[in-house]
Amino acid sequence: MVGAGPGGLTLARILHRHGLSVTVLERDAGPDARPPGGSLDLHEGMGQRALEKAGLLAEFGALSRPEGQAMRILDPHGTVLRDWRPRPDDRANPEIDRGHLRDLLLGSLDVRWGSGVRGVTAEAGGAARVRLADGRQERYDLVVGADGAWSRVRPALSPATPQYTGVTAVETSLDEVDRRHPGLARLIGDGSFAVYGVRRSLVAQRGSGGHVKVYAQFRVPLDRGAEPGPADAETVRARLLERYEGWAPPVLDLLRHGTAFVHRPLYALPVDHAWPHVPGVTLLGDAAHLMPPLGAGANLAMLEGAELGDALAAAPAGLDEAVRAHEQRMWPRARRWAELTAAGLNRLVGPDPAEAIALFDEVQPE
């Protein structure tokens, strides 16, 4: 297993639960080597189903935030257009911090941290050889690439590379928002907050402990989307405030009070990405079907990890057929979600803000 993200860890937990041997290779030096990012909404029939298969659904219930499903939408002038709040018993898409989910999935798993992978080569007979960053090579019966957008496993199966979607996001964050910025805390509410304009949006997402992630998203050619690095935060802030000039002052306070800024161009693989089956190697999650970050990616990766784990456990002597069947099941479902998220990104960061509101109305209950 290459990659200790949600999909890879879910697969590893399932295999571990069935008593099967699995090695998880992760390039990060440790679980806290990088900030874990914002929160995830785990869908009832996808991410939550995967956790149920892994025997972790009860623990997830204790860590998740059903109130985080709330969604508030304003127009650039500050007028509230939508203010949806979940019922107390609504568990369709509760939020969980990425760090909490990672720790939940890790449990007692033995991850080989600091094990970067340079590439993978399939061998005759169905095995595969992994080339590690330190020069060593290791042979495995099956290598699963769960190593994200810029997968080092993918070239063993496919020449496809992620392509820029036309949308760039700049991420910042607010800490202790309830104490330090009570006005913004009230504006954001318990869950997510969004403002849609012409070819740009501003989205805030509440996590636990008063932490809020803020994403400024806009359409720009890739060579013009670069922003200075974190050391030049004031320059980034000034450029963003200029880009959102004329928006309501309380909305712009999300940028005025942000700390560090991280530049994230959004990439995606072709919506119909697939590959000729190669014994000994497969992919899941973003490595297989990178798509715009609209709530499907982690859920799909976890569901695929759980399904593949169950399939491998049910046929330990027939790994190749189990993998082949998994790929055939994965591809059409991933294509549907890739098409949906690509169309969704075009509506959310497009020329007509009314399309963004209409998309929200389509996916939220009455």
Side-chain angles (χ1 to χ4, degrees), residues 106-147:
L106 270 174
S108 60
L109 287 177
D110 185 15
V111 175
R112 282 174 47 185
W113 301 102
S115 298
V117 171
R118 287 183 177 171
V120 173
T121 303
E123 295 188 340
R129 189 168 297 276
V130 175
R131 301 186 303 279
L132 296 167
D134 62 8
R136 291 180 297 121
Q137 296 191 19
E138 297 177 352
R139 186 176 182 274
Y140 295 95
D141 294 331
L142 173 66
V143 174
V144 180
D147 50 341

Side-chain angles (χ1 to χ4, degrees), residues 72-76 78-83 194 196 353 357 360-361:
R72 179 175 294 161
I73 300 179
L74 277 66
D75 69 13
T79 302
V80 177
L81 303 176
R82 302 288 188 275
D83 192 1
Y196 298 107
I357 310 301
F360 173 83
D361 289 340

Side-chain angles (χ1 to χ4, degrees):
M1 170 72 59
V2 181
L9 290 178
T10 301
L11 171 56
R13 283 300 297 256
I14 296 286
L15 294 177
H16 182 74
R17 195 180 190 202
H18 285 289
L20 298 178
S21 174
V22 57
T23 299
V24 181
L25 304 174
E26 169 56 51
R27 66 177 182 177
D28 284 347
D32 300 316
R34 289 183 293 162
S39 63
L40 294 167
D41 59 322
L42 292 194
H43 302 180
E44 201 165 27
M46 298 173 71
Q48 291 185 59
R49 182 180 172 193
L51 289 175
E52 184 177 21
K53 287 175 176 287
L56 297 172
L57 192 58
E59 291 90 336
F60 166 75
L63 292 170
S64 64
R65 294 176 288 104
E67 70 277 8
Q69 299 171 96
M71 181 69 183
R72 179 175 294 161
I73 300 179
L74 277 66
D75 69 13
H77 303 295
T79 302
V80 177
L81 303 176
R82 302 288 188 275
D83 192 1
W84 183 77
R85 302 178 188 183
R87 299 183 308 274
D89 61 343
D90 193 329
R91 304 290 304 184
N93 306 294
E95 297 279 339
I96 184 171
D97 289 8
R98 286 178 179 267
H100 291 163
L101 178 62
R102 175 201 60 206
D103 293 344
L104 175 63
L105 289 169
L106 270 174
S108 60
L109 287 177
D110 185 15
V111 175
R112 282 174 47 185
W113 301 102
S115 298
V117 171
R118 287 183 177 171
V120 173
T121 303
E123 295 188 340
R129 189 168 297 276
V130 175
R131 301 186 303 279
L132 296 167
D134 62 8
R136 291 180 297 121
Q137 296 191 19
E138 297 177 352
R139 186 176 182 274
Y140 295 95
D141 294 331
L142 173 66
V143 174
V144 180
D147 50 341
W150 307 103
S151 171
R152 296 301 183 94
V153 181
R154 188 191 301 125
L157 300 171
S158 165
T161 57
Q163 300 299 307
Y164 180 52
T165 62
V167 175
T168 284
V170 178
E171 174 190 316
T172 188
S173 59
L174 306 170
D175 290 312
E176 299 181 85
V177 67
D178 300 286
R179 182 180 67 83
R180 300 173 62 183
H181 310 290
L184 282 178
R186 290 190 295 272
L187 183 70
I188 296 165
D190 292 330
S192 297
F193 164 96
V195 184
Y196 298 107
V198 177
R199 296 184 177 87
R200 69 202 63 198
S201 68
L202 201 58
V203 177
Q205 182 187 47
R206 183 184 280 269
S208 60
H211 186 74
V212 172
K213 286 288 186 184
V214 180
Y215 305 92
Q217 300 177 331
F218 44 86
R219 290 200 172 269
V220 64
L222 185 59
D223 60 352
R224 290 174 46 204
E227 301 283 354
D232 199 9
E234 293 311 312
T235 300
V236 180
R237 192 190 321 277
R239 290 186 179 183
L240 288 173
L241 290 171
E242 181 180 355
R243 187 179 292 277
Y244 290 86
E245 184 178 4
W247 286 35
V251 173
L252 295 183
D253 281 345
L254 293 167
L255 301 175
R256 293 192 180 101
H257 296 297
T259 51
F261 293 87
V262 182
H263 170 242
R264 300 189 188 281
L266 303 185
Y267 288 83
L269 284 166
V271 297
D272 58 351
H273 182 236
W275 54 89
H277 174 72
V278 175
V281 188
T282 193
L283 305 171
L284 61 80
D286 286 350
H289 45 67
L290 179 67
M291 58 189 70
L294 298 183
N299 279 280
L300 274 176
M302 293 175 66
L303 182 59
E304 290 162 4
E307 290 178 343
L308 179 57
D310 280 346
L312 296 176
L319 295 183
D320 188 54
E321 285 308 310
V323 170
R324 188 190 297 271
H326 166 75
E327 291 171 341
Q328 294 295 325
R329 180 172 59 247
M330 173 178 63
W331 288 328
R333 180 173 58 199
R335 177 171 184 163
R336 290 194 300 272
W337 279 103
E339 291 171 343
L340 285 170
T341 55
L345 185 65
N346 287 336
R347 295 174 69 179
L348 293 175
V349 190
D352 184 2
E355 278 295 306
I357 310 301
L359 177 61
F360 173 83
D361 289 340
E362 291 169 12
V363 300
Q364 291 290 0
E366 292 288 340

